[in-house]
Amino acid sequence: MDMNDYQKWTELTKKYPESFNVYYPAMELGGESGEVLNQVKKIARDDNNILTEERRNALSKELGDVLWALARVCGDIGIDLGDVARMNVDKLEARLAAGTIQGSGDNR
């Protein structure tokens, strides 16, 4: 599925009031990211550092929730998810070319 088509589809499942635009999906993004981390923690704690199919499926579901929230933040601020992906590719390619892919800071 195309990223922008997915973003448009998420509009159908948006169940928060307009007054919560940006705020609700941004908070959802944080919460769902935490759930991804929780599943990763369980790989170490419960699965002997082995990524099982059950855990992979659980992670996939949580990652889908992260994607939904990201798509809604983008939609609420009027940018295309595909454009965000392209901007990120451009940024990382520039860092690769400059030899600054590792390290810290936004402006490398």
Side-chain angles (χ1 to χ4, degrees):
M1 175 180 261
D2 174 85
M3 294 181 115
N4 292 336
D5 290 341
Y6 175 78
Q7 180 180 350
K8 288 174 190 162
W9 175 84
T10 64
E11 186 72 32
L12 299 173
T13 62
K14 174 184 168 181
K15 300 298 179 195
Y16 51 91
E18 291 291 318
S19 62
F20 283 29
N21 278 3
V22 182
Y23 302 105
Y24 180 90
M27 289 184 283
E28 184 77 5
L29 182 59
E32 294 299 339
S33 296
E35 292 195 29
V36 168
L37 289 171
N38 198 41
Q39 289 298 323
V40 171
K41 172 193 74 181
K42 290 176 182 180
I43 294 169
R45 187 190 70 193
D46 301 338
D47 301 336
N48 294 320
N49 286 324
I50 297 168
L51 179 58
T52 64
E53 270 311 300
E54 180 181 355
R55 191 70 59 208
R56 183 187 314 273
N57 289 336
L59 269 165
S60 294
K61 290 175 183 177
E62 298 303 342
L63 288 167
D65 292 342
V66 167
L67 183 60
W68 182 91
L70 179 60
R72 288 307 330 133
V73 171
C74 291
D76 285 355
I77 65 172
I79 59 174
D80 287 335
L81 186 56
D83 290 342
V84 171
R86 171 50 48 202
M87 288 170 44
N88 187 254
V89 167
D90 292 345
K91 176 182 81 173
L92 294 176
E93 284 182 346
R95 288 180 181 176
L96 278 171
T100 58
I101 197 75
Q102 293 180 338
S104 329
D106 290 337
N107 299 311
R108 335 181 216 141

